[in-house]
PDB file of all heavy atoms in Angstrom:
ATOM      1  N   GLY D   1     209.434 133.125 225.351  1.00 44.00           N
ATOM      2  CA  GLY D   1     208.212 133.813 225.577  1.00 44.00           C
ATOM      3  C   GLY D   1     207.468 133.142 226.699  1.00 44.00           C
ATOM      4  O   GLY D   1     207.737 132.042 227.027  1.00 44.00           O
ATOM      5  N   SER D   2     206.425 133.872 227.353  1.00 39.00           N
ATOM      6  CA  SER D   2     205.584 133.318 228.217  1.00 39.00           C
ATOM      7  C   SER D   2     204.897 132.023 227.784  1.00 39.00           C
ATOM      8  O   SER D   2     204.300 131.980 226.857  1.00 39.00           O
ATOM      9  CB  SER D   2     204.586 134.254 228.755  1.00 39.00           C
ATOM     10  OG  SER D   2     205.236 135.470 229.251  1.00 39.00           O
ATOM     11  N   LYS D   3     205.108 131.003 228.624  1.00 39.00           N
ATOM     12  CA  LYS D   3     204.434 129.651 228.350  1.00 39.00           C
ATOM     13  C   LYS D   3     203.443 129.354 229.366  1.00 39.00           C
ATOM     14  O   LYS D   3     203.630 129.633 230.629  1.00 39.00           O
ATOM     15  CB  LYS D   3     205.440 128.641 228.171  1.00 39.00           C
ATOM     16  CG  LYS D   3     206.332 128.786 226.937  1.00 39.00           C
ATOM     17  CD  LYS D   3     207.483 127.686 226.949  1.00 39.00           C
ATOM     18  CE  LYS D   3     208.295 128.093 225.700  1.00 39.00           C
ATOM     19  NZ  LYS D   3     209.390 126.886 225.544  1.00 39.00           N
ATOM     20  N   SER D   4     202.363 128.726 229.055  1.00 39.00           N
ATOM     21  CA  SER D   4     201.291 128.562 229.940  1.00 39.00           C
ATOM     22  C   SER D   4     201.727 127.654 231.220  1.00 39.00           C
ATOM     23  O   SER D   4     201.387 127.768 232.247  1.00 39.00           O
ATOM     24  CB  SER D   4     200.156 127.810 229.281  1.00 39.00           C
ATOM     25  OG  SER D   4     200.501 126.576 228.627  1.00 39.00           O
ATOM     26  N   GLU D   5     202.765 126.688 230.853  1.00 40.00           N
ATOM     27  CA  GLU D   5     203.140 125.669 231.881  1.00 40.00           C
ATOM     28  C   GLU D   5     203.933 126.363 232.979  1.00 40.00           C
ATOM     29  O   GLU D   5     204.001 125.969 234.066  1.00 40.00           O
ATOM     30  CB  GLU D   5     203.944 124.507 231.264  1.00 40.00           C
ATOM     31  CG  GLU D   5     205.172 124.999 230.465  1.00 40.00           C
ATOM     32  CD  GLU D   5     204.934 125.037 229.010  1.00 40.00           C
ATOM     33  OE1 GLU D   5     203.819 125.264 228.683  1.00 40.00           O
ATOM     34  OE2 GLU D   5     205.957 124.915 228.351  1.00 40.00           O
ATOM     35  N   VAL D   6     204.655 127.562 232.640  1.00 40.00           N
ATOM     36  CA  VAL D   6     205.288 128.329 233.552  1.00 40.00           C
ATOM     37  C   VAL D   6     204.286 128.812 234.606  1.00 40.00           C
ATOM     38  O   VAL D   6     204.608 128.827 235.781  1.00 40.00           O
ATOM     39  CB  VAL D   6     206.025 129.495 232.955  1.00 40.00           C
ATOM     40  CG1 VAL D   6     206.722 130.277 233.926  1.00 40.00           C
ATOM     41  CG2 VAL D   6     207.189 129.024 232.021  1.00 40.00           C
ATOM     42  N   TYR D   7     203.179 129.324 234.214  1.00 52.00           N
ATOM     43  CA  TYR D   7     202.267 129.862 235.147  1.00 52.00           C
ATOM     44  C   TYR D   7     201.287 128.913 235.777  1.00 52.00           C
ATOM     45  O   TYR D   7     200.720 129.167 236.749  1.00 52.00           O
ATOM     46  CB  TYR D   7     201.395 130.889 234.327  1.00 52.00           C
ATOM     47  CG  TYR D   7     202.301 132.058 233.911  1.00 52.00           C
ATOM     48  CD1 TYR D   7     202.658 132.164 232.565  1.00 52.00           C
ATOM     49  CD2 TYR D   7     202.470 133.062 234.803  1.00 52.00           C
ATOM     50  CE1 TYR D   7     203.424 133.305 232.117  1.00 52.00           C
ATOM     51  CE2 TYR D   7     203.269 134.211 234.304  1.00 52.00           C
ATOM     52  CZ  TYR D   7     203.777 134.235 233.036  1.00 52.00           C
ATOM     53  OH  TYR D   7     204.590 135.224 232.657  1.00 52.00           O
ATOM     54  N   GLU D   8     201.230 127.632 235.159  1.00 56.00           N
ATOM     55  CA  GLU D   8     200.381 126.758 235.700  1.00 56.00           C
ATOM     56  C   GLU D   8     201.147 125.665 236.533  1.00 56.00           C
ATOM     57  O   GLU D   8     200.599 124.718 236.933  1.00 56.00           O
ATOM     58  CB  GLU D   8     199.602 125.926 234.652  1.00 56.00           C
ATOM     59  CG  GLU D   8     198.555 126.845 233.831  1.00 56.00           C
ATOM     60  CD  GLU D   8     197.944 126.153 232.781  1.00 56.00           C
ATOM     61  OE1 GLU D   8     198.181 124.833 232.493  1.00 56.00           O
ATOM     62  OE2 GLU D   8     197.270 126.826 232.002  1.00 56.00           O
ATOM     63  N   ARG D   9     202.410 125.937 236.829  1.00 71.00           N
ATOM     64  CA  ARG D   9     203.098 124.937 237.747  1.00 71.00           C
ATOM     65  C   ARG D   9     202.458 125.008 239.112  1.00 71.00           C
ATOM     66  O   ARG D   9     201.843 125.870 239.532  1.00 71.00           O
ATOM     67  CB  ARG D   9     204.487 125.442 237.829  1.00 71.00           C
ATOM     68  CG  ARG D   9     204.783 126.791 238.395  1.00 71.00           C
ATOM     69  CD  ARG D   9     206.152 127.238 238.243  1.00 71.00           C
ATOM     70  NE  ARG D   9     206.371 128.609 238.772  1.00 71.00           N
ATOM     71  CZ  ARG D   9     207.467 129.263 238.785  1.00 71.00           C
ATOM     72  NH1 ARG D   9     208.588 128.745 238.393  1.00 71.00           N
ATOM     73  NH2 ARG D   9     207.469 130.546 239.152  1.00 71.00           N
ATOM     74  N   ASN D  10     202.675 123.790 239.766  1.00 81.00           N
ATOM     75  CA  ASN D  10     201.926 123.751 241.244  1.00 81.00           C
ATOM     76  C   ASN D  10     203.184 123.682 242.282  1.00 81.00           C
ATOM     77  O   ASN D  10     203.791 122.623 242.271  1.00 81.00           O
ATOM     78  CB  ASN D  10     201.220 122.421 241.148  1.00 81.00           C
ATOM     79  CG  ASN D  10     200.096 122.507 242.308  1.00 81.00           C
ATOM     80  OD1 ASN D  10     199.911 123.479 242.803  1.00 81.00           O
ATOM     81  ND2 ASN D  10     199.701 121.331 242.663  1.00 81.00           N
ATOM     82  N   ILE D  11     203.166 124.742 242.857  1.00 92.00           N
ATOM     83  CA  ILE D  11     204.353 124.946 243.873  1.00 92.00           C
ATOM     84  C   ILE D  11     203.962 124.134 245.259  1.00 92.00           C
ATOM     85  O   ILE D  11     202.782 124.120 245.544  1.00 92.00           O
ATOM     86  CB  ILE D  11     204.413 126.369 244.337  1.00 92.00           C
ATOM     87  CG1 ILE D  11     204.872 127.294 243.012  1.00 92.00           C
ATOM     88  CG2 ILE D  11     205.466 126.610 245.312  1.00 92.00           C
ATOM     89  CD1 ILE D  11     206.172 126.858 242.407  1.00 92.00           C
ATOM     90  N   ASP D  12     204.932 123.579 245.873  1.00 96.00           N
ATOM     91  CA  ASP D  12     204.662 122.913 247.161  1.00 96.00           C
ATOM     92  C   ASP D  12     204.588 123.994 248.215  1.00 96.00           C
ATOM     93  O   ASP D  12     205.664 124.317 248.862  1.00 96.00           O
ATOM     94  CB  ASP D  12     205.950 121.974 247.341  1.00 96.00           C
ATOM     95  CG  ASP D  12     205.751 121.228 248.748  1.00 96.00           C
ATOM     96  OD1 ASP D  12     204.698 121.298 249.394  1.00 96.00           O
ATOM     97  OD2 ASP D  12     206.808 120.834 249.267  1.00 96.00           O
ATOM     98  N   VAL D  13     203.455 124.594 248.340  1.00 97.00           N
ATOM     99  CA  VAL D  13     203.330 125.793 249.389  1.00 97.00           C
ATOM    100  C   VAL D  13     203.613 125.271 250.741  1.00 97.00           C
ATOM    101  O   VAL D  13     204.311 125.962 251.405  1.00 97.00           O
ATOM    102  CB  VAL D  13     201.888 126.242 249.261  1.00 97.00           C
ATOM    103  CG1 VAL D  13     201.567 127.340 250.245  1.00 97.00           C
ATOM    104  CG2 VAL D  13     201.528 126.807 247.865  1.00 97.00           C
ATOM    105  N   PRO D  14     203.118 124.032 251.211  1.00 97.00           N
ATOM    106  CA  PRO D  14     203.539 123.610 252.673  1.00 97.00           C
ATOM    107  C   PRO D  14     205.031 123.572 252.864  1.00 97.00           C
ATOM    108  O   PRO D  14     205.564 123.929 253.830  1.00 97.00           O
ATOM    109  CB  PRO D  14     202.754 122.351 252.814  1.00 97.00           C
ATOM    110  CG  PRO D  14     201.740 122.305 251.839  1.00 97.00           C
ATOM    111  CD  PRO D  14     202.144 123.181 250.741  1.00 97.00           C
ATOM    112  N   GLY D  15     205.745 123.064 251.855  1.00 97.00           N
ATOM    113  CA  GLY D  15     207.223 122.870 251.954  1.00 97.00           C
ATOM    114  C   GLY D  15     207.916 124.372 252.030  1.00 97.00           C
ATOM    115  O   GLY D  15     208.773 124.577 252.777  1.00 97.00           O
ATOM    116  N   VAL D  16     207.489 125.244 251.193  1.00 97.00           N
ATOM    117  CA  VAL D  16     207.991 126.670 251.098  1.00 97.00           C
ATOM    118  C   VAL D  16     207.612 127.335 252.436  1.00 97.00           C
ATOM    119  O   VAL D  16     208.563 128.054 253.089  1.00 97.00           O
ATOM    120  CB  VAL D  16     207.616 127.375 249.885  1.00 97.00           C
ATOM    121  CG1 VAL D  16     208.108 128.794 249.938  1.00 97.00           C
ATOM    122  CG2 VAL D  16     207.867 126.703 248.717  1.00 97.00           C
ATOM    123  N   ALA D  17     206.397 127.130 252.967  1.00 97.00           N
ATOM    124  CA  ALA D  17     206.013 127.673 254.153  1.00 97.00           C
ATOM    125  C   ALA D  17     206.839 127.266 255.368  1.00 97.00           C
ATOM    126  O   ALA D  17     207.227 127.993 256.226  1.00 97.00           O
ATOM    127  CB  ALA D  17     204.552 127.442 254.421  1.00 97.00           C
ATOM    128  N   ALA D  18     207.077 125.918 255.425  1.00 97.00           N
ATOM    129  CA  ALA D  18     207.947 125.424 256.531  1.00 97.00           C
ATOM    130  C   ALA D  18     209.379 125.970 256.483  1.00 97.00           C
ATOM    131  O   ALA D  18     209.938 126.370 257.499  1.00 97.00           O
ATOM    132  CB  ALA D  18     208.051 123.837 256.211  1.00 97.00           C
ATOM    133  N   GLN D  19     209.960 126.362 255.227  1.00 97.00           N
ATOM    134  CA  GLN D  19     211.136 126.888 255.126  1.00 97.00           C
ATOM    135  C   GLN D  19     211.224 128.324 255.526  1.00 97.00           C
ATOM    136  O   GLN D  19     212.170 128.846 256.171  1.00 97.00           O
ATOM    137  CB  GLN D  19     211.696 126.850 253.685  1.00 97.00           C
ATOM    138  CG  GLN D  19     211.960 125.452 253.067  1.00 97.00           C
ATOM    139  CD  GLN D  19     212.281 125.488 251.691  1.00 97.00           C
ATOM    140  OE1 GLN D  19     212.376 126.438 250.954  1.00 97.00           O
ATOM    141  NE2 GLN D  19     212.464 124.142 251.113  1.00 97.00           N
ATOM    142  N   ALA D  20     209.908 129.060 255.423  1.00 97.00           N
ATOM    143  CA  ALA D  20     209.839 130.408 255.765  1.00 97.00           C
ATOM    144  C   ALA D  20     209.594 130.619 257.237  1.00 97.00           C
ATOM    145  O   ALA D  20     209.767 131.755 257.731  1.00 97.00           O
ATOM    146  CB  ALA D  20     208.875 131.158 254.905  1.00 97.00           C
ATOM    147  N   GLU D  21     209.254 129.622 257.903  1.00 97.00           N
ATOM    148  CA  GLU D  21     208.746 129.704 259.291  1.00 97.00           C
ATOM    149  C   GLU D  21     209.855 130.429 260.200  1.00 97.00           C
ATOM    150  O   GLU D  21     209.531 131.255 261.102  1.00 97.00           O
ATOM    151  CB  GLU D  21     208.386 128.311 259.872  1.00 97.00           C
ATOM    152  CG  GLU D  21     207.751 128.451 261.278  1.00 97.00           C
ATOM    153  CD  GLU D  21     207.383 126.985 261.824  1.00 97.00           C
ATOM    154  OE1 GLU D  21     207.681 126.085 261.066  1.00 97.00           O
ATOM    155  OE2 GLU D  21     206.778 127.031 262.831  1.00 97.00           O
ATOM    156  N   GLY D  22     211.077 130.004 259.998  1.00 96.00           N
ATOM    157  CA  GLY D  22     212.056 130.616 260.928  1.00 96.00           C
ATOM    158  C   GLY D  22     212.203 132.189 260.772  1.00 96.00           C
ATOM    159  O   GLY D  22     212.330 132.815 261.557  1.00 96.00           O
ATOM    160  N   ALA D  23     212.075 132.550 259.390  1.00 95.00           N
ATOM    161  CA  ALA D  23     212.176 134.104 259.163  1.00 95.00           C
ATOM    162  C   ALA D  23     210.821 134.785 259.527  1.00 95.00           C
ATOM    163  O   ALA D  23     210.944 135.834 260.085  1.00 95.00           O
ATOM    164  CB  ALA D  23     212.392 134.292 257.707  1.00 95.00           C
ATOM    165  N   ALA D  24     209.757 133.959 259.517  1.00 96.00           N
ATOM    166  CA  ALA D  24     208.484 134.686 259.740  1.00 96.00           C
ATOM    167  C   ALA D  24     208.179 134.741 261.248  1.00 96.00           C
ATOM    168  O   ALA D  24     207.490 135.742 261.692  1.00 96.00           O
ATOM    169  CB  ALA D  24     207.266 133.907 259.104  1.00 96.00           C
ATOM    170  N   GLY D  25     208.719 133.767 262.005  1.00 96.00           N
ATOM    171  CA  GLY D  25     208.225 133.667 263.293  1.00 96.00           C
ATOM    172  C   GLY D  25     207.063 133.009 263.600  1.00 96.00           C
ATOM    173  O   GLY D  25     206.494 132.962 264.773  1.00 96.00           O
ATOM    174  N   TYR D  26     206.429 132.616 262.519  1.00 96.00           N
ATOM    175  CA  TYR D  26     205.122 131.735 262.620  1.00 96.00           C
ATOM    176  C   TYR D  26     205.106 130.769 261.341  1.00 96.00           C
ATOM    177  O   TYR D  26     205.810 131.143 260.511  1.00 96.00           O
ATOM    178  CB  TYR D  26     203.868 132.669 262.766  1.00 96.00           C
ATOM    179  CG  TYR D  26     203.753 133.677 261.552  1.00 96.00           C
ATOM    180  CD1 TYR D  26     203.089 133.212 260.439  1.00 96.00           C
ATOM    181  CD2 TYR D  26     204.351 134.961 261.606  1.00 96.00           C
ATOM    182  CE1 TYR D  26     202.912 134.188 259.419  1.00 96.00           C
ATOM    183  CE2 TYR D  26     204.066 135.835 260.639  1.00 96.00           C
ATOM    184  CZ  TYR D  26     203.587 135.358 259.474  1.00 96.00           C
ATOM    185  OH  TYR D  26     203.338 136.270 258.410  1.00 96.00           O
TER     186      TYR D  26
END
């Protein structure tokens, strides 16, 4: 079942953004 820690995890947004830069073009 849904657990609070699943929704409260803290994603490394800058890291994911850097990975997406090539596809995004920015």
Side-chain angles (χ1 to χ4, degrees):
S2 299
K3 296 181 181 179
S4 60
E5 60 266 23
V6 173
Y7 295 99
E8 293 179 4
R9 59 187 177 181
N10 198 19
I11 300 297
D12 175 18
V13 179
V16 181
Q19 294 173 3
E21 184 176 9
Y26 58 89

